[in-house]
Amino acid sequence: MASPPASRPVRTLVVLLVGVLALGGGLAAAVVWSDASLKPKLALDLAGGTQIILTPRVEAGQGELSDEDINQAIAIMRQRVNASGISEAEISSQGGQNIVVELPGDPQEQREARELVRQSAQMRFRPVLVEQPSGVELPTDAPTEVPTGGATEAPTDGASLVPAPTQTQDGRAVPNALRQAAAAPTEPAATEPAPTEPAPAPEPTGPSDLAQITPEIQQAYVDLDCTDQANLTGGVEGEPDQPLVACSQDGAAKYVLGPVEVEGTQIDTATAGLRTNSQGVTTNEWVVQLDLDGAGSRAFRETSTRLFGLQPPQNQFAIVLDGLVVSAPAIQSPITNGRAEISGSFTQDSATTLANQLEFGALPITFDVQTEAQISALLGEEQLQRGLLAGLIGLGLVVVYSVIQYRALGLVTVASLGIAGLLTYLTISLLSWYQGYRLSLPGVAGLIVAIGITADSFIVFFERVRDEVREGRSLVAAVENGWRRARRTILASDTVSFLAALVLFLLAVGGVRGFAFTLGLTTVIDLIVVVLFTHPMVAVLARTRFFGGGHRLSGFDAAHLGRTVAYAGRGQVRTQARRGADAPAEADAPTPGRQTIAERKAAERKAAERKAAAERADATSGRPGGTEES
């Protein structure tokens, strides 16, 4: 039974048109109202940029660097660069010793990223003085005017406050937590008249003393916006003997921290695992365990003993990596043996991540800049021109082959390639604006390879349709049956290509990832085009007189395809008259005018056998073409 035609192919084409217009409108809006460009951003090999070669260096007496140390340093550098908004940056090891950082784009725009890659990762432990959720309005009883200077009025109990503003210069109120934290006892007032000069601020008596919160620290705390992604990229931590205002890595909390008490270099090992209780039973709670060296054990013993007797949040010990708080656990008991355990709402992944960060922070690595050079884009431009020329040649050959092989149907291939190219261009341009994606030379190679993948899908579909036409079906029915048969092959082929691109993207680094990305992107676009454009377009054309009537230039004419039967319905065909040597054999065959497909094939096989037998008989009987006996 003939399959019904496709339902509403025009509606499918309208859906595709709406999608293309949405992508184009989004790009146009980004160009007009944002900083987007009609051209995708280019990577280092095409646009030029900066190349920095760094040599890791260990402190004296810290041993030698291992390959794992270098790989960890590369990983955190890549994280820093990505967080700064620069994509397609290449960071790799050179000879197992040096680290090569290649940053594409304008050197003036790379200043922040260049500073980040030069810094060593510093893991430090600081006591928490103030902790508040980020972006939460805190209660305040601040006056409406900013004090102009001098100490505040002394309370009746003889205590005094450190001079501190209750508002910032832009009118924002200082949280009560900070203003109250600045309170500190002083000596009782003397009987002599009070001096006219303001009393000096009390000196801090220890790392956890709230007197360290100076007006400058208060102002820095209020000004720091932890909801701004720019403040979550890490950077210079500041002097180790001074307080620090910092955000948590996820931006959820904001801290005022005391001076450094334990350095990350004093960590021997950090591992993630399941907690074992005092009875030796392993629980389901994930924890991070630290082992410190001798100096670290002594420092941690003194600090944990002091913090254990304080109230929250001053009983917390913040772990700071590159100026961001990784974790701030509370001290539940003094730690005297140099083995600390960090617990909380950890999953296996989060515990492993924290352990890796602690391990990396413990590396005594600093970096010496060997060279820093600007790379010209001239060579990349020449390679891009040659790549585009190769792509145009390949596209031209595909078009010529399609027109010769499929005649007017080949124009559908050309239109499909045009739609695929437009979707790819719009998608890459939007990703370049929204995600900072940069097109590299390997990425261009992936786009060129995609031409063959896309054309292959069209060829599979067209050949399936033509097979159905050869079997005697009408073109409308052949399109739907051919699509059902081709769809499985196209899905399998595109799935394999996409999985290969995905694996390559996840495992590779540098420019190879650019190739894998464009290959995977164009594979998805190929599937979209063949489903939303090629198939419905052929279905629409099949209903026209030119294609449906089998015009000799349509690509579906019977003579061109070699069709010898016509479909008669119910699994039967009508055999057309044949000329030549087969005519007598078929005329003698006791077969009706209508045959099933199986019967027709059996008759054709018997006719071929008769013909072969007749030729052998002619060869041995001395007929023309044989050998005559004397």
Side-chain angles (χ1 to χ4, degrees):
M1 181 176 180
S3 302
S7 59
R8 300 176 181 175
V10 175
R11 185 173 66 175
T12 305
L13 294 174
V14 170
V15 171
L16 176 62
L17 178 61
V18 171
V20 173
L21 292 178
L23 288 176
L27 179 60
V31 171
V32 174
W33 290 294
S34 185
D35 58 349
S37 173
L38 292 176
K39 296 181 179 180
K41 294 180 181 178
L42 301 179
L44 178 73
D45 53 358
L46 298 178
T50 304
Q51 183 186 67
I52 304 174
I53 299 179
L54 303 171
T55 300
R57 175 170 50 85
V58 296
E59 301 296 336
Q62 297 293 341
E64 297 182 355
L65 288 175
S66 64
D67 292 339
E68 183 179 357
D69 297 339
I70 299 296
N71 292 333
Q72 288 177 330
I74 291 175
I76 199 168
M77 282 186 183
R78 186 173 290 115
Q79 181 180 4
R80 289 172 173 178
V81 172
N82 292 339
S84 67
I86 297 179
S87 62
E88 288 295 326
E90 296 188 14
I91 304 177
S92 59
S93 174
Q94 185 184 68
Q97 295 295 328
N98 296 333
I99 296 177
V100 180
V101 182
E102 296 179 339
L103 305 174
D106 185 0
Q108 295 300 324
E109 299 176 357
Q110 303 165 353
R111 185 176 305 169
E112 178 183 357
R114 294 202 307 270
E115 292 299 327
L116 287 175
V117 298
R118 289 190 183 99
Q119 299 165 10
S120 60
Q122 296 176 330
M123 177 72 73
R124 289 169 171 173
F125 293 76
R126 293 174 177 263
V128 175
L129 303 181
V130 175
E131 177 189 21
Q132 293 290 353
S134 177
V136 176
E137 283 291 335
L138 299 175
T140 180
D141 55 359
T144 57
E145 295 183 359
V146 181
T148 57
T152 58
E153 183 178 353
T156 55
D157 59 359
S160 63
L161 299 176
V162 177
T166 54
Q167 283 186 344
T168 60
Q169 294 180 356
D170 56 3
R172 288 179 292 172
V174 176
N176 283 334
L178 279 181
R179 293 192 288 109
Q180 294 172 359
T186 60
E187 295 294 332
T191 57
E192 291 81 12
T196 57
E197 296 182 359
E203 291 292 331
T205 59
S208 297
D209 194 345
L210 298 180
Q212 296 181 96
I213 306 179
T214 62
E216 291 77 15
I217 294 295
Q218 295 181 28
Q219 187 67 47
Y221 179 91
V222 174
D223 292 341
L224 181 61
D225 182 8
C226 292
T227 62
D228 186 357
Q229 190 65 31
N231 294 327
L232 303 179
T233 58
V236 181
E237 183 177 325
E239 297 297 329
D241 59 347
Q242 297 297 322
L244 176 70
V245 177
C247 300
S248 61
Q249 281 191 325
D250 58 3
K254 184 163 56 172
Y255 298 87
V256 178
L257 308 175
V260 175
E261 297 202 67
V262 178
E263 291 284 355
T265 54
Q266 296 174 325
I267 299 175
D268 275 342
T269 60
T271 58
L274 295 174
R275 164 177 278 177
T276 302
N277 59 22
S278 57
Q279 287 76 32
V281 178
T282 302
T283 66
N284 292 325
E285 181 183 5
W286 282 92
V287 296
V288 177
Q289 297 174 338
L290 301 178
D291 288 334
L292 297 105
D293 61 16
S297 298
R298 291 189 294 271
F300 214 96
R301 179 176 61 249
E302 297 174 2
T303 302
S304 62
T305 302
R306 185 186 75 250
L307 297 182
F308 178 66
L310 300 178
Q311 296 297 317
Q314 297 171 37
N315 65 338
Q316 296 174 224
F317 209 13
I319 304 170
V320 185
L321 175 62
D322 283 347
L324 295 176
V325 177
V326 175
S327 180
I331 299 297
Q332 299 179 349
S333 63
I335 300 171
T336 59
N337 60 357
R339 303 191 66 182
E341 185 178 89
I342 304 174
S343 61
S345 301
F346 286 124
T347 62
Q348 181 178 1
D349 291 338
S350 61
T352 302
T353 299
L354 178 57
N356 290 337
Q357 289 172 325
L358 292 170
E359 280 278 0
F360 182 76
L363 295 176
I365 296 180
T366 57
F367 299 103
D368 294 330
V369 179
Q370 295 296 321
T371 61
E372 180 174 345
Q374 304 300 319
I375 298 178
S376 172
L378 295 178
L379 180 60
E381 290 178 356
E382 181 181 357
Q383 293 174 335
L384 177 61
Q385 292 174 358
R386 293 182 178 180
L388 293 177
L389 178 60
L392 290 175
I393 294 174
L395 180 61
L397 292 176
V398 169
V399 171
V400 171
Y401 170 81
S402 299
V403 173
I404 293 176
Q405 178 69 17
Y406 300 108
R407 303 185 180 183
L409 185 62
L411 298 179
V412 178
T413 300
V414 177
S416 299
L417 288 172
I419 295 294
L422 178 61
L423 287 175
T424 303
Y425 164 76
L426 293 175
T427 303
I428 290 179
S429 297
L430 284 172
L431 289 175
S432 181
W433 162 69
Y434 187 70
Q435 294 289 342
Y437 172 76
R438 290 178 179 270
L439 184 63
S440 61
L441 194 60
V444 174
L447 296 179
I448 296 174
V449 171
I451 297 175
I453 296 177
T454 304
D456 180 65
S457 298
F458 306 152
I459 292 173
V460 170
F461 175 41
F462 294 163
E463 290 299 329
R464 291 295 190 185
V465 174
R466 296 174 77 169
D467 285 344
E468 294 291 327
V469 173
R470 290 188 183 96
E471 293 293 336
R473 298 185 186 275
S474 68
L475 183 57
V476 173
V479 168
E480 295 314 307
N481 282 353
W483 170 246
R484 290 189 183 92
R485 296 173 62 189
R487 182 172 53 195
R488 295 189 295 268
T489 304
I490 294 173
L491 283 174
S493 176
D494 283 349
T495 300
V496 171
S497 296
F498 181 79
L499 290 178
L502 179 62
V503 172
L504 190 61
F505 181 83
L506 294 177
L507 298 182
V509 295
V512 180
R513 299 190 71 188
F515 172 82
F517 178 81
T518 54
L519 181 62
L521 175 65
T522 49
T523 300
V524 174
I525 291 177
D526 166 51
L527 191 60
I528 293 173
V529 170
V530 76
V531 171
L532 298 183
F533 180 77
T534 310
H535 168 225
M537 178 58 69
V538 174
V540 169
L541 294 177
R543 299 175 182 179
T544 63
R545 178 178 300 178
F546 180 81
F547 285 91
H551 192 279
R552 64 186 184 87
L553 296 180
S554 67
F556 293 119
D557 60 305
H560 178 68
L561 296 180
R563 183 173 65 186
T564 59
V565 297
Y567 188 72
R570 296 186 179 181
Q572 294 181 334
V573 295
R574 288 190 298 271
T575 305
Q576 297 178 350
R578 295 186 178 181
R579 297 179 180 179
D582 292 344
E586 289 199 5
D588 296 338
T591 57
R594 288 194 174 188
Q595 297 176 301
T596 64
I597 295 176
E599 291 172 344
R600 176 179 60 82
K601 291 184 176 179
E604 289 178 350
R605 185 172 60 253
K606 290 180 180 180
E609 291 175 353
R610 291 194 196 100
K611 183 178 179 180
E615 290 177 351
R616 287 195 299 271
D618 291 343
T620 58
S621 63
R623 292 182 181 181
T627 302
E628 184 176 0
E629 296 180 359
S630 58

